[in-house]
Amino acid sequence: MLILIVNAGSSSLKLRLLDDADEVVHRTDLPANAGGFDVSALHDAIADWPRPDVVSHRVVHGGERFRSAVRIDAEVEQALRDLTDLAPLHQPKSLAGFDVVSAALPDIAAVACFDTAFHATLSPAAYTYAVPAEWREKHGVRRYGFHGLSHGYAARHGAGLAGLDVSTARIVTAHLGAGASLTAVVGGQSVDTTMGFTPLEGLVMATRSGSVDPGLVLWLEEHENLSPHEVAVGLEEKSGVLGLTGTADLREVEERAAAGDADAQLAVEIYVHHLIAGIAAMAASADGIDLLVFTGGVGEHSVGIRRAVAERLAWLGLAVDDAANAGVDGDADISAAGASVRCVVVEAREDIAMADQTRRLVRGGPE
């Protein structure tokens, strides 16, 4: 079965053609334009590719309805459009990718895989906000969690790297990229996560603030006369590492910090402070920790962030081997000898998670 993986982002449409062995047969990234994505450009890009058997789309938000992968038909497509209010920055991108690919390949079955679905196993205690019942019942206000495709893959693959059984291990997965989140995984299922009703909650990110006092939002609107849109832009696009240093590139920030830049040094300290607090909280939700998995651009490539986390969480039993940590190139076990908590690095592969879910759905197996 050849599966065309479609991942629509703010600046590009990532296309990957995977075979049954999860090997990438073809790949390309199409730039976005003012109208979304260009059907003619897509035709040209895949003209020489083998014809896929099914198309699998990454969709950020599945709401409370979509708890696993689903075949896309007219009813499902409308339901996904109806969820746009829950993810106004992300859902339209997913839908734009669906529109352009379905126009180019109208007779190929399509499947939606959801970033929220992995967190459908959260307990009411983990997903319920202590807010008025009307908000929860009328508007679906709750913790949804995101990056689920990445967290699910990282937990399964990371356990294998460490020689642990994912069905029994207590795992914390750290997806650290431009967006960043943590998940506590027990028995292969998500039991807690740092992102919430939106992808803004939780860790400090590249341009997002992460968790702040909600009273701050009210104060800014009242005392600075900022509109909700202005506050949203500030928290989503002008905060995080960018707001602290003037750049969203953590690699540059780490280089500046090493050269003695005080603002950069503080930014790294803030980033790590929130990260270790979050990991410890996830370990508490999992009733302990056997494995920490780093994934995402920062998680895979930042030797310094991984080292700092291990040093600050040594009391949990975490320790990394300096040589192994410095020499990471792809998937790697960087645990120090004798460490009671294992630590691995896993390349982010949402495409493999999507392909697996799609095969199960198309072939009629459990999703």
Side-chain angles (χ1 to χ4, degrees):
M1 182 184 295
L2 288 174
I3 302 176
L4 178 61
I5 303 293
V6 180
N7 189 342
S10 58
S11 61
S12 68
L13 186 71
K14 295 186 171 90
L15 303 172
R16 306 289 184 267
L17 188 65
L18 269 62
D19 64 16
D20 251 351
D22 289 327
E23 295 294 330
V24 178
V25 180
H26 290 282
R27 62 193 300 157
T28 190
D29 295 350
L30 298 180
N33 55 41
F37 303 103
D38 192 302
V39 177
S40 301
L42 177 60
H43 272 296
D44 293 340
I46 66 174
D48 297 329
W49 292 15
R51 189 172 179 80
D53 296 293
V54 62
V55 178
S56 181
H57 292 266
R58 178 180 174 228
V59 180
V60 169
H61 215 306
E64 293 185 283
R65 173 177 173 180
F66 298 109
R67 302 167 64 89
S68 60
V70 62
R71 292 175 185 266
I72 300 175
D73 57 20
E75 180 186 355
V76 168
E77 182 183 351
Q78 185 57 53
L80 296 180
R81 296 189 187 280
D82 291 342
L83 288 170
T84 297
D85 282 349
L86 290 179
L89 296 177
H90 300 86
Q91 203 78 345
K93 300 166 189 172
S94 300
L95 294 169
F98 173 69
D99 289 341
V100 71
V101 175
S102 61
L105 301 169
D107 57 340
I108 303 295
V111 169
C113 297
F114 301 95
D115 257 342
T116 51
F118 184 63
H119 305 297
T121 53
L122 293 179
S123 69
Y127 71 66
T128 304
Y129 287 121
V131 298
E134 179 184 3
W135 298 1
R136 291 183 271 113
E137 295 165 3
K138 182 178 180 180
H139 303 294
V141 172
R142 52 161 288 173
R143 180 180 305 281
Y144 287 102
F146 300 89
H147 291 145
L149 293 164
S150 177
H151 285 297
Y153 175 79
R156 292 189 299 273
H157 193 63
L161 278 177
L164 300 174
D165 185 345
V166 72
S167 68
T168 58
R170 301 164 299 178
I171 303 170
V172 175
T173 50
H175 177 99
L176 308 178
S181 64
L182 304 168
T183 294
V185 180
V186 178
Q189 297 185 326
S190 171
V191 298
D192 203 358
T193 192
T194 55
M195 283 182 168
F197 181 68
T198 74
L200 183 59
E201 188 178 1
L203 303 176
V204 173
M205 306 175 220
T207 66
R208 299 177 218 165
S209 64
S211 296
V212 297
D213 181 352
L216 169 64
V217 175
L218 304 177
W219 189 91
L220 289 170
E221 291 179 349
E222 180 179 355
H223 291 274
E224 294 297 318
N225 294 316
L226 296 182
S227 68
H229 174 72
E230 289 173 316
V231 175
V233 169
L235 295 177
E236 289 272 1
E237 302 176 14
K238 300 180 180 180
S239 295
V241 175
L242 175 65
L244 294 169
T245 66
T247 177
D249 188 339
L250 190 60
R251 292 170 298 182
E252 179 183 335
V253 173
E254 290 187 276
E255 290 172 0
R256 285 166 44 184
D261 184 305
D263 288 341
Q265 290 172 341
L266 176 60
V268 172
E269 290 171 4
I270 292 170
Y271 189 95
V272 171
H273 175 85
H274 288 270
L275 181 54
I276 62 169
I279 292 171
M282 292 298 105
S285 292
D287 292 328
I289 179 172
D290 302 305
L291 172 66
L292 174 63
V293 184
F294 287 103
T295 192
V298 175
E300 295 169 38
H301 300 296
S302 177
V303 174
I305 294 297
R306 295 193 301 260
R307 180 176 60 244
V309 167
E311 290 174 350
R312 294 288 301 277
L313 292 178
W315 58 274
L316 267 181
L318 187 69
V320 299
D321 179 90
D322 287 339
N325 184 42
V328 168
D329 182 16
D331 299 340
D333 186 336
I334 61 172
S335 311
S340 60
V341 176
R342 305 295 296 278
C343 185
V344 300
V345 179
V346 169
E347 180 185 1
R349 290 296 304 270
E350 290 99 334
D351 57 341
I352 291 179
M354 292 168 63
D356 181 58
Q357 292 181 20
T358 299
R359 288 189 201 100
R360 291 174 183 271
L361 178 65
V362 170
R363 291 171 174 164
E367 298 162 31

